[in-house]
Every structure is written in C-alpha cells, then in structure tokens.
Amino acid sequence: MIAEADGGTQEEINVAWQQLKDASDVLKQQAIDSMNTIAKEV
C-alpha cells in the first residue's frame, strides 16, 4: 500500500490512508471484543 501511495495523487494517498485507518479500527474492535469475551469466561 505504501508503494501505491508513493507515486499517487493526493486523492489516492487519502484513499489509501483511509483504508489503513478503517482496517486499524476493525482490528482494534476485534481485539476489544476478544478481551471482553475472555473476561466474561473468567
């Protein structure tokens, strides 16, 4: 993704950045959900 953004227009860079942020948000939520599940089981 970084290689794509390196030669891209500002709009392409913004789109790539937003995709990374969205993926990060999903992973963060999955981690929180997993911790909550484990906490409930304990």
Side-chain angles (χ1 to χ4, degrees), residues 1 4 12-24:
M1 220 175 244
E4 290 175 15
E12 290 169 331
I13 292 168
N14 290 344
V15 169
W17 184 252
Q18 187 62 46
Q19 289 172 339
L20 285 171
K21 183 183 178 305
D22 291 346
S24 172

Side-chain angles (χ1 to χ4, degrees), residues 12-37:
E12 290 169 331
I13 292 168
N14 290 344
V15 169
W17 184 252
Q18 187 62 46
Q19 289 172 339
L20 285 171
K21 183 183 178 305
D22 291 346
S24 172
D25 291 344
V26 168
L27 290 173
K28 178 180 173 184
Q29 189 58 51
Q30 287 176 342
I32 291 170
D33 292 346
S34 293
M35 287 188 293
N36 287 337
T37 299

